[in-house]
Amino acid sequence: MNENQLEMISIGKEVGRLHNACLDVIYNDFTGEDISRSIADEAIKNRFLASVNKFIKMNSEATRTDFVDVEITMDSVDKTIEEIKATLSVREKFYIDKALSLDMSNSDLVNNLLIEISTDQDLMNKQAVICFVTVLEASTHYWNSHIEEWQQMLDKPVTRVNWGTVATFDAWYGYQAMLVSAMNPIVSGGTAAFASGLAAVFS
């Protein structure tokens, strides 16, 4: 692997880390409040969005001053997953399907897939596909560790929320955000977390 390929994987891992950190910010902003009963749906979405943009601004100021004024909107997650899927090339679909069938708890398998993606000379949108995999991995770990606290906040039994589906939502919107955000990992991680929070509340 060359330096550029290693950097792409490193950026992908950072998007996954930022995704999890942003979910923590969303959760902490709602701690102690029963959002499933006390707030209207549109208000929940707006408050989630405010939490995510706070996170993006905070991290942009610390690391990338040229992106300080970047914010996401509701339109950032307005495409359906089916619409995103329809834009995939054959090779993108091959790797994304491979990721979706992979055991995300097996870091060796995940890392091997990331190496395979990063070294594929014929793959378009390579960074976005890497981001799909790393967000799916990070989200799977996050929800495995935080199901109970979100379950309590949402006042939903664990059977009411398919946490695997939530993790998959994250990955798709992390992929999409990487394409439309000028490869900004902070925006990509925040957008994926926004999609994740919405999927958790409204699934």
Side-chain angles (χ1 to χ4, degrees):
M1 293 181 66
N2 60 37
E3 186 174 329
N4 182 55
Q5 291 160 350
L6 289 169
E7 183 180 9
M8 284 192 293
I9 293 176
S10 178
I11 290 170
K13 295 279 190 181
E14 178 65 1
V15 172
R17 185 194 69 78
L18 288 163
H19 160 274
N20 288 6
C22 188
L23 278 176
D24 281 338
V25 169
I26 295 171
Y27 175 81
N28 288 334
D29 282 351
F30 282 88
T31 298
E33 187 169 356
D34 183 357
I35 65 175
S36 65
R37 295 177 180 173
S38 61
I39 309 177
D41 289 355
E42 200 61 32
I44 293 173
K45 294 176 183 178
N46 286 329
R47 286 182 56 181
F48 274 21
L49 186 64
S51 294
V52 172
N53 281 325
K54 177 179 72 174
F55 175 86
I56 290 172
K57 181 177 178 61
M58 177 178 62
N59 282 272
S60 297
E61 287 174 342
T63 59
R64 298 181 63 164
T65 55
D66 52 329
F67 283 97
V68 167
D69 295 327
V70 172
E71 290 189 342
I72 69 167
T73 67
M74 293 293 182
D75 291 341
S76 300
V77 292
D78 66 343
K79 274 193 173 184
T80 67
I81 289 177
E82 291 305 315
E83 289 173 329
I84 299 172
K85 285 181 180 179
T87 68
L88 298 178
S89 68
V90 173
R91 294 200 71 77
E92 285 177 293
K93 185 177 185 304
F94 169 77
Y95 286 116
I96 285 175
D97 285 346
K98 198 168 183 178
L100 290 170
S101 68
L102 210 61
D103 177 4
M104 284 291 135
S105 66
N106 189 323
S107 59
D108 289 337
L109 291 178
V110 174
N111 287 332
N112 287 340
L113 178 58
L114 291 171
I115 292 169
E116 186 180 350
I117 293 168
S118 69
T119 55
D120 186 334
Q121 299 301 314
D122 299 319
L123 177 63
M124 299 287 290
N125 300 324
K126 194 175 293 186
Q127 186 67 75
V129 177
I130 287 172
C131 185
F132 182 98
V133 178
T134 55
V135 170
L136 182 61
E137 179 187 31
S139 183
T140 300
H141 289 308
Y142 180 89
W143 289 115
N144 282 341
S145 299
H146 296 82
I147 285 175
E148 290 185 2
E149 59 200 57
W150 277 76
Q151 174 190 344
Q152 183 176 4
M153 180 177 73
L154 300 176
D155 193 29
K156 290 184 178 181
V158 72
T159 53
R160 286 274 305 282
V161 180
N162 185 330
W163 299 104
T165 300
V166 172
T168 304
F169 260 76
D170 303 8
W172 281 112
Y173 289 104
Y175 164 91
Q176 179 68 13
M178 184 58 77
L179 290 179
V180 301
S181 68
M183 299 297 174
N184 183 332
I186 301 171
V187 172
S188 298
T191 303
F194 183 46
S196 185
L198 294 181
V201 173
F202 298 109
S203 63

